[in-house]
Amino acid sequence: MQQKTQEPYENKSPLQAGMTGVFIALAFGLMITVIPSFSAVWFAVSLISGILLVIFSVLCKLNFAKNNIWIKFAPGWIPIIYFLMLSMRSLSHLFSSDLLGIGLPLVSFIAVGLAVSLKLDAKIPEQVRSKSKIFGEWLSKIALAFASVAGVLGASFGMYAARTGKVQFVTLFIGIFAYFIGLSMAYRMFTGFLEARKAK
């Protein structure tokens, strides 16, 4: 069964899809640029990603392009990349190492893609494909747990950090939250994308 991520703006017009893309780009771009401190480099990366998001958000609703599998999935991929960039920013600050902070989410993202490829490859032994499926379910449960507490604790963490000055704790929460949410979304997106390619 194909994923809903194929039609991220199912009931929206091209203009509405574009405005949604602008909103997502502004929200994530602001966070990525200023957490934990302002960075011109990350601002540029966020801006380029935002421009691409808006372009693909509009394209996926236009008749001449909306059936292209790459364009169809692009508006779903870029928010995932935003989540991973947010985790990179936070983890780089916490580890005091850009190599480790950027490398961990990037390697994990590649590993998720590989796990989905193994799960969907009929030539791979069933035992391996079963373990890949369990990995995806485990990742989704962790992401769901973080998502459930994020709304409740997010404001509290913000007030706590402002009152006590313990910004590191909040940065850690944001980094881990974005990391697992991004990877869980990536797992579902890889699954939908690869299934759609096989169906063509």
Side-chain angles (χ1 to χ4, degrees):
M1 186 174 72
Q2 294 184 0
Q3 304 292 310
K4 287 288 285 181
T5 46
Q6 288 185 32
E7 295 290 350
Y9 308 115
E10 188 172 2
N11 298 314
K12 296 183 183 295
S13 67
L15 179 59
Q16 290 173 323
M19 292 305 296
T20 302
V22 169
F23 176 77
I24 294 171
L26 287 175
F28 276 102
L30 180 62
M31 287 189 290
I32 292 165
T33 300
V34 302
I35 294 176
S37 59
F38 178 79
S39 169
V41 173
W42 284 100
F43 170 75
V45 174
S46 299
L47 180 61
I48 293 169
S49 299
I51 292 171
L52 291 174
L53 176 59
V54 173
I55 291 172
F56 284 119
S57 294
V58 173
L59 282 177
C60 77
K61 299 302 297 181
L62 300 179
N63 289 329
F64 77 91
K66 68 180 182 180
N67 292 322
N68 182 293
I69 188 172
W70 294 95
I71 292 175
K72 190 178 286 188
F73 276 84
W77 281 116
I78 297 174
I80 293 171
I81 293 170
Y82 271 138
F83 269 112
L84 293 177
M85 285 197 293
L86 187 58
S87 73
M88 289 175 184
R89 283 283 277 147
S90 301
L91 297 177
S92 293
H93 175 71
L94 292 168
F95 295 145
S96 298
S97 168
D98 287 337
L99 180 63
L100 185 57
I102 293 173
L104 177 61
L106 187 59
V107 169
S108 300
F109 178 77
I110 295 170
V112 165
L114 180 61
V116 174
S117 297
L118 293 175
K119 180 184 78 169
L120 298 178
D121 191 343
K123 298 176 183 177
I124 300 296
E126 176 60 31
Q127 185 178 7
V128 175
R129 286 188 281 133
S130 178
K131 287 181 179 178
S132 175
K133 185 177 180 180
I134 292 171
F135 166 74
E137 293 172 352
W138 173 80
L139 193 60
S140 295
K141 288 177 182 177
I142 292 178
L144 182 61
F146 273 105
S148 299
V149 300
V152 177
L153 299 182
S156 300
F157 281 154
M159 291 185 288
Y160 174 78
R163 188 171 61 250
T164 63
K166 295 184 178 180
V167 180
Q168 290 284 96
F169 178 67
V170 178
T171 304
L172 174 64
F173 176 80
I174 291 172
I176 294 175
F177 170 76
Y179 177 75
F180 281 109
I181 292 294
L183 291 183
S184 177
M185 290 173 64
Y187 186 90
R188 293 194 298 271
M189 186 65 76
F190 270 120
T191 300
F193 180 74
L194 293 177
E195 284 179 344
R197 286 196 66 185
K198 286 176 67 177
K200 273 190 166 293

